[in-house]
Structures are given as structure tokens and as C-alpha cells.
Amino acid sequence: MDIARLVAARDPADIVTCPAGATVRQAVQLLAEKRIGALPVTSGGEVAGIFSERDVLYRIADEGESCLERQVGEVMTSPAVTISADTGFIEALALMTRRRIRHLPVMSNGAMVGFISIGDIVKARIDEISAEAEHMRPYIQTA
């Protein structure tokens, strides 16, 4: 299965993003309000980077509370690691593992069509395996 099937049921307009000019404080408030772990950061209509809980922790550890007034564009992880909609689950998981990241923007023709987490992929893969097992049960029982 590929990522396109995972994001097909989602509306790209529902992706929560953050402008690069927002403050870290504003981005943290958005993460908390939406109960999410990361945000795609946009600049000029394009994905400029990713702002995650880890970015906040690292900055607070280095700079203290003063980092909350910095712009997200200064502290985000950039450039964003992205995938295309035709990327397979296993390939996406391998990329996330190799790069030690948990979120990926899904791009198609230069536009973000989805934003997925490692949890989204794992859940979809488990659902896929469960469905395969259900289809195999009658076959195994009659053999």
C-alpha cells in the first residue's frame, strides 16, 4: 500500500500549518491546542520546514524561556524531509527511521497534499495486515 491511499480520505485544507514568521510561543500554543506533535511550517505558500516538540525542547534547553519569542523560521527543522504520494509504507517507515523523524509532509506537484506521522503509517499497516489475516482465515480453515 502507498501513502496516497492513506491521505486520500483527508482534506489537505485540514492540515494545521504554521507560518515561518509566527513566534515559537504561538506555535507551541497551536501544538497544545490541537494536541499534535508537529507542524509543517510555510513560507511563501511552500513547506519551509517542520516545527516539532523536539525543536521546542532543544531550544529551551539551549536558550531558556527567551526562545519563545523567536520566530519559528529560525528554530524549525529545515529543509523538511518530504515524500511523494506514491511512496510505499515500508519506504516511508525506513526513511523516518533512518532520519530519526516522526512526521512527513506528503507532496504532489509541489503542493502539500498530506501530513503524516509514523503512528498513521503503523496504524494503516496494522489494519492492512489484519485485513489480510481475515481473508486468509477461511482459506486456512478449509485446507
Side-chain angles (χ1 to χ4, degrees), residues 74-109:
E74 298 172 5
V75 301
M76 68 186 177
T77 301
S78 178
V81 176
T82 65
I83 57 172
S84 64
D86 64 351
T87 303
F89 282 170
I90 303 302
E91 185 181 349
L93 284 171
L95 174 64
M96 292 172 128
T97 301
R98 188 171 59 253
R99 297 295 299 268
R100 303 185 91 184
I101 56 177
R102 297 178 298 177
H103 300 87
L104 290 169
V106 181
M107 307 299 287
S108 179
N109 298 320

Side-chain angles (χ1 to χ4, degrees), residues 22-120:
T23 65
V24 170
R25 183 181 307 278
Q26 290 170 321
V28 167
Q29 288 171 335
L30 189 56
L31 289 173
E33 176 186 312
K34 300 295 184 177
R35 301 190 54 81
I36 54 179
L39 296 162
V41 179
T42 58
S43 180
E46 304 210 354
V47 177
I50 305 292
F51 180 76
S52 71
E53 300 160 322
R54 289 180 183 176
D55 294 316
V56 176
L57 289 174
Y58 297 155
R59 290 299 172 165
I60 288 177
D62 287 347
E63 302 171 23
E65 186 179 327
S66 65
C67 75
L68 296 175
E69 301 314 315
R70 292 184 65 187
Q71 289 188 345
V72 171
E74 298 172 5
V75 301
M76 68 186 177
T77 301
S78 178
V81 176
T82 65
I83 57 172
S84 64
D86 64 351
T87 303
F89 282 170
I90 303 302
E91 185 181 349
L93 284 171
L95 174 64
M96 292 172 128
T97 301
R98 188 171 59 253
R99 297 295 299 268
R100 303 185 91 184
I101 56 177
R102 297 178 298 177
H103 300 87
L104 290 169
V106 181
M107 307 299 287
S108 179
N109 298 320
M112 183 171 50
V113 295
F115 188 65
I116 60 167
S117 71
I118 197 165
D120 295 330

